[in-house]
Amino acid sequence: MRILVIGAGTMGAGIAETAIQKGLSVWLTDALPDALPRATHRIRQNVARAYDKGRLDEPVDLVMARLKTVEEWPDGVDWVIEAVPEQLELKHDLFRALDTRYGPQVWLASNTSSIAVTRLQAATPRYPERVAGLHFFNPVARMPLVEVIRGLDTRPEYLDAARELVARLGKTAIEAPDRPGFLVNRVARPYYLEALRMVDDDRLLSMEEVDAVFEGAGFPMGPFRLMDLVGIDVNFSVTKSVFDQTFGDPRYRPHPWQERLMLRGHLGRKTGRGFYRYE
Ligand SMILES: NC(=O)c1ccc[n+]([C@@H]2O[C@H](COP(=O)([O-])OP(=O)(O)OC[C@H]3O[C@@H](n4cnc5c(N)ncnc54)[C@H](O)[C@@H]3O)[C@@H](O)[C@H]2O)c1
């Protein structure tokens, strides 16, 4: 099975890494030329770590040989998984181009966190029935769940094929409704937003205290540490997307603190500073 992964950022690189470790061939592409060597370097480091820890039997070079970085979309693709930023217009343009470039035998999946798949099908007039959502979680290599989302026009066989792909990647598929935020982000948005309001508006606790409370209650990460991991920009875009798609439901209203960090370029761990500072 040959997969084209579009977008070599946090998620695209993670999906590519998982797929090559499971024996699948991947083409990885990005709009920014710099992104590809950076992603390849990160993937190699992670594959080497998995090998050193005994989680992988094959030598690193053999696994890495299944990854090719490309600037043009190749022929011979079975699946496309898109992981470009969470902006409706950007994803629309991409799906329009994919619909023109590839025939009906190529499945098109989006790793969108929040955009209804039916909206993406509006950009694929030729073959909307082969479009669905495959929502992986961060970090992809470690998170077992993938939400599989069926849009209005998605063919049922597609979902069977998607479940099979998810199983080959060693993950568990759960079918999620095609609603803004699907299942996980519908619940996760208020989790982050309530924490932001509690600290910034109501001054009830500090962000360190909020994180400590949730981590003490068994959550692997408190909301602020998690937002830093996800990326402040990614998190803010997803919040805005859910808010817009629910016609301004106040439960999903973005918080000005998110925007303040965005404007200062403090995007979380990836820039060395978000809510917290990182070495
Ligand atoms: N970060 C997370 O925790 C997380 C979790 C689940 C899902 N997602 C979703 O995954 C998608 C990607 O998120 P991310 O965190 O990997 O973002 P990111 O910013 O880390 O990476 C996006 C990459 O896409 C590239 N890109 C932009 N436009 C492109 C184009 N037209 N063609 C090819 N490449 C292009 C960028 O250069 C960048 O390298 C988003 O839809 C996001 O909502 C993110």
Side-chain angles (χ1 to χ4, degrees):
M1 198 180 296
R2 289 150 309 174
I3 305 174
L4 169 64
V5 177
I6 304 182
T10 309
M11 295 305 289
I15 294 165
E17 176 194 324
T18 302
I20 57 170
Q21 288 199 25
K22 295 292 177 187
L24 307 180
S25 300
V26 173
W27 286 286
L28 181 62
T29 188
D30 199 283
L32 288 181
D34 277 5
L36 292 174
R38 228 182 307 133
T40 307
H41 178 70
R42 220 175 64 227
I43 293 170
R44 178 175 277 279
Q45 274 184 330
N46 291 344
V47 171
R49 197 171 307 127
Y51 183 75
D52 290 344
K53 290 197 166 164
R55 292 199 302 265
L56 199 61
D57 301 329
E58 282 182 305
V60 175
D61 284 343
L62 211 62
V63 175
M64 289 305 291
R66 289 197 282 271
L67 177 72
K68 289 196 171 51
T69 54
V70 289
E71 285 178 17
E72 305 286 327
W73 296 344
D75 292 326
V77 173
D78 299 307
W79 278 87
V80 176
I81 303 179
E82 161 284 303
V84 304
E86 191 80 346
Q87 292 154 21
L88 180 61
E89 209 171 310
L90 179 65
K91 292 202 194 265
H92 252 193
D93 290 349
L94 187 65
F95 273 85
R96 197 168 294 119
L98 285 168
D99 194 43
T100 310
R101 170 69 176 81
Y102 291 116
Q105 73 287 359
V106 180
W107 305 113
L108 305 183
S110 173
N111 185 49
T112 174
S113 305
S114 66
I115 299 170
V117 171
T118 304
R119 285 180 165 229
L120 301 176
Q121 288 175 327
T124 54
R126 287 174 78 215
Y127 307 111
E129 62 277 6
R130 45 76 180 264
V131 178
L134 273 186
H135 182 219
F136 293 82
F137 292 86
N138 184 14
V140 179
R142 289 217 300 277
M143 300 302 252
L145 193 76
V146 179
E147 287 181 311
V148 177
I149 305 116
R150 176 182 186 172
L152 206 59
D153 297 308
T154 312
R155 258 206 326 256
E157 308 93 90
Y158 182 105
L159 286 207
D160 295 338
R163 275 197 214 94
E164 243 169 69
L165 174 65
V166 170
R168 283 202 62 183
L169 294 172
K171 312 246 174 246
T172 307
I174 178 172
E175 194 173 332
D178 193 26
R179 299 286 183 277
F182 317 122
L183 289 173
V184 172
N185 269 312
R186 182 177 177 145
V187 175
R189 289 306 105 195
Y191 172 64
Y192 299 121
L193 289 166
E194 217 27 65
L196 288 160
R197 290 180 194 123
M198 218 153 78
V199 174
D200 203 43
D201 303 347
D202 303 339
R203 309 270 164 188
L204 294 177
L205 291 170
S206 68
M207 64 181 185
E208 291 86 355
E209 287 168 329
V210 172
D211 278 346
V213 165
F214 280 93
E215 287 158 20
F219 286 63
M221 274 187 179
F224 293 96
R225 252 186 275 284
L226 186 52
M227 283 187 275
D228 275 358
L229 175 77
V230 167
I232 306 299
D233 50 343
V234 174
N235 203 277
F236 188 46
S237 300
V238 174
T239 311
K240 281 198 296 189
S241 161
V242 175
F243 184 65
D244 290 347
Q245 289 178 85
T246 53
F247 305 105
D249 185 332
R251 287 179 297 171
Y252 305 115
R253 180 179 299 128
H255 196 278
W257 195 356
Q258 296 175 293
E259 190 175 43
R260 287 203 298 273
L261 291 174
M262 277 280 300
L263 293 174
R264 292 288 297 110
H266 299 324
L267 306 183
R269 282 194 194 183
K270 60 187 168 189
T271 57
R273 186 168 169 189
F275 291 102
Y276 296 97
R277 287 171 191 265
Y278 301 86
E279 288 309 317

